[in-house]
Amino acid sequence: MYMSKKSISKEHEQFLLKVKREKRNILLTQIGVFVLGLLIWEVSARFKLIDTFLTSSPSAILKLIVEYTLRGRLFHHITVSVLETIAGFTIGTLLGMVIAIGLWWSDFWSRVLDPYLVVLNSLPKTALAPIIIIWVGAGYSGIISNCHFYFYSSYHNEYAFKL
């Protein structure tokens, strides 16, 4: 299955070494870009070039992770976030399926709502998140509403089978 060292030609061995070096250089560069991004973010936050209320800073995030870990609250927060995401996904998918089926059955409503659904689907979902949070609130309902809005657009994929 594996080739022995002796059966590999000198050129192939050099090629494998070159590939290995290239992979290592790519990984080191990726790590460097990540660290540079964190440094720029941290410096920008410290010198008030960015609003830390909206973007925080890497050191503040790390401090919070350590604090939550020491107090035993980290897994609670992770659990809440996962449950909110699952709830939003489930609600959005079910709502999307119901709407898709309704539009598939009714040619009239399909034609009436088509331009609105096309516009709604073309809007960037992340840009709408702050608006949804203002409408619904910043608690669980805001998070679940945002998640379900993202997955609500699944109606488009399900409805597309009619076209």
Side-chain angles (χ1 to χ4, degrees):
M1 189 76 107
Y2 295 102
M3 300 174 83
S4 68
K5 260 290 205 200
K6 294 177 185 176
S7 66
I8 297 176
S9 70
K10 192 98 167 147
E11 291 82 17
H12 188 66
E13 192 174 322
Q14 289 173 347
F15 171 77
L16 292 175
L17 250 137
K18 180 183 172 189
V19 168
K20 189 175 182 177
R21 260 187 259 121
E22 188 175 329
K23 284 184 177 183
R24 185 189 68 231
N25 289 341
I26 288 172
L27 178 64
L28 291 174
T29 304
Q30 288 172 333
I31 291 169
V33 168
F34 179 73
V35 169
L36 180 66
L38 288 177
L39 286 172
I40 291 170
W41 181 14
E42 183 68 35
V43 169
S44 298
R46 297 252 173 134
F47 288 108
K48 307 285 187 218
L49 299 173
I50 59 174
D51 184 3
T52 55
F53 179 75
L54 297 174
T55 58
S56 193
S57 70
S59 60
I61 293 170
L62 182 61
K63 181 181 172 185
L64 193 62
I65 289 172
V66 169
E67 179 185 327
Y68 280 176
T69 303
L70 293 176
R71 290 185 178 181
R73 301 294 299 160
L74 184 63
F75 287 110
H76 167 73
H77 289 282
I78 290 172
T79 302
V80 168
S81 295
V82 168
L83 291 176
E84 289 169 342
T85 302
I86 290 171
F89 174 78
T90 304
I91 293 167
T93 301
L94 293 175
L95 187 61
M97 286 173 59
V98 168
I99 291 171
I101 290 168
L103 292 175
W104 189 77
W105 273 339
S106 173
D107 192 48
F108 174 78
W109 284 109
S110 172
R111 289 182 183 182
V112 168
L113 296 177
D114 185 58
Y116 302 105
L117 295 173
V118 168
V119 169
L120 183 65
N121 195 46
S122 68
L123 292 172
K125 309 306 184 272
T126 53
L128 294 173
I131 296 169
I132 292 171
I133 288 174
I134 289 171
W135 286 345
V136 180
Y140 295 126
S141 58
I143 294 167
I144 291 172
S145 295
N146 268 308
C147 289
H148 109 264
F149 181 75
Y150 295 137
F151 295 107
Y152 160 78
S153 61
S154 69
Y155 84 87
H156 194 274
N157 293 330
E158 295 155 4
Y159 174 63
F161 287 114
K162 179 180 181 181
L163 304 176

